[in-house]
Amino acid sequence: AKLSETQPHLSRISSMSWRDQHVFSTGSRDNTIKNIDVRLCQPIASYTSHNQEVCGLAWGCDGKYLASGGNDNIVHIWDSRK
């Protein structure tokens, strides 16, 4: 399956950040964040905490932490090891 044909979100994707060569994260207007493994072409983790659109994502250099910012003016730090 083509990655472009997968639909991990219910609404448009508004932000994206690569963790490494196989995993990237997407943030959406549906208020969720999905970690997607391109080898599997499917989400491997999901985060929900924002009350509005996720408008920014950034992985730390070590790939352990993901920062997300939303239109709700909140920043979350997610630990990928949990």
Side-chain angles (χ1 to χ4, degrees):
K2 293 180 185 177
L3 187 61
S4 62
E5 293 175 353
T6 64
Q7 295 182 355
H9 293 282
L10 300 175
S11 189
R12 74 174 182 163
I13 293 173
S14 50
S15 55
M16 186 175 97
S17 181
W18 284 93
R19 182 180 80 181
D20 56 36
Q21 64 183 358
H22 300 294
V23 176
F24 69 96
S25 299
T26 56
S28 174
R29 182 183 274 178
D30 68 9
N31 310 341
T32 65
I33 300 164
K34 308 284 184 175
N35 292 347
I36 299 168
D37 188 321
V38 296
R39 297 167 294 187
L40 304 173
C41 293
Q42 65 184 20
I44 56 172
S46 181
Y47 308 107
T48 304
S49 190
H50 288 284
N51 296 321
Q52 295 183 27
E53 180 175 8
V54 178
C55 57
L57 292 173
W59 278 99
C61 295
D62 60 5
K64 294 179 185 174
Y65 299 100
L66 174 66
S68 66
N71 286 345
D72 53 7
N73 297 318
I74 297 173
V75 172
H76 292 284
I77 306 296
W78 306 95
D79 187 340
S80 67
R81 300 168 296 175
K82 294 183 179 181

